């Protein structure tokens, strides 16, 4: 399957080589590792926009995951080179939805797709509007 769907921009691509520790007894990537792939690509996305997530937290904004979903299409295995595509598909007043597509290195084999929804909260854990400075970097 080649990439043919419209993906939101700005976007980012993260390359990831599957380690042995990310696989299960059947030799395929353990299902929960895909959420780690999503997290790594999300952090990469934020860094590419010119800010690290730790700086976002220093500014008093936290983005905890409140929903996550992953659809597994084809197994990834040890030593596979993966390309993880990430972007923001939806903005609400106090939440952001990131979407992800994971492909093998040549981007012709679609491994998995998914999304995470993040609440925007302050240091007390209370929901707050997404600050303009954060919208601007994304």
């Amino acid at each position: 399957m080649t990439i043919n769907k419209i993906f939101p921009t700005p976007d980012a691509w993260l390359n990831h080589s599957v380690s042995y520790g990310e696989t299960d007894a059947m030799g395929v990537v353990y299902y929960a590792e895909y959420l780690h792939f999503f997290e790594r690509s999300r952090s990469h996305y934020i860094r590419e926009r010119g800010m690290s997530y730790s700086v976002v937290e220093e500014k008093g904004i936290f983005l905890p995951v409140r929903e996550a979903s992953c659809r597994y299409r084809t197994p990834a295995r040890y030593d596979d080179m993966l390309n993880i595509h990430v972007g923001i598909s939806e903005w609400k007043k106090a939440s952001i939805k990131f979407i992800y597509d994971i492909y093998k290195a040549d981007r012709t084999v679609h491994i998995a797709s998914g999304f995470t929804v993040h609440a925007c909260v302050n240091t007390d854990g209370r929901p707050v509007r997404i600050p303009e400075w954060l919208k601007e970097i994304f």
Side-chain angles (χ1 to χ4, degrees):
M1 167 190 279
T2 57
I3 302 168
N4 59 8
K5 70 179 186 176
I6 297 172
F7 204 86
T9 56
D11 61 345
W13 286 92
L14 176 69
N15 296 323
H16 177 75
S17 179
V18 175
S19 71
Y20 187 78
E22 293 169 322
T23 62
D24 62 17
M26 295 181 289
V28 300
V29 172
Y30 180 65
Y31 76 95
E33 289 297 329
Y34 289 85
L35 296 177
H36 290 140
F37 298 162
F38 292 173
E39 179 184 358
R40 288 182 199 119
S41 67
R42 194 170 56 249
S43 293
H44 176 72
Y45 176 90
I46 294 169
R47 277 191 304 277
E48 278 200 348
R49 311 270 82 68
M51 185 176 290
S52 73
Y53 185 67
S54 61
V55 172
V56 173
E57 289 183 337
E58 288 169 8
K59 291 177 170 271
I61 295 296
F62 297 83
L63 300 171
V65 175
R66 56 171 246 220
E67 184 178 355
S69 176
C70 186
R71 180 166 182 209
Y72 308 96
R73 298 175 183 278
T74 303
R77 300 180 182 282
Y78 167 67
D79 217 23
D80 279 350
M81 179 56 73
L82 304 179
N83 284 293
I84 306 160
H85 199 192
V86 57
I88 295 174
S89 66
E90 188 176 346
W91 291 91
K92 292 195 174 177
K93 284 189 248 180
S95 67
I96 303 169
K97 183 177 185 178
F98 286 86
I99 62 171
Y100 314 88
D101 278 315
I102 302 175
Y103 297 90
K104 287 211 176 171
D106 64 2
R107 299 183 187 172
T108 61
V109 178
H110 194 189
I111 301 293
S113 58
F115 68 87
T116 54
V117 178
H118 300 259
C120 183
V121 301
N122 63 17
T123 56
D124 296 325
R126 292 202 168 96
V128 295
R129 282 188 176 273
I130 299 167
E132 285 303 314
W133 59 264
L134 189 57
K135 285 182 184 179
E136 289 173 8
I137 67 165
F138 287 167

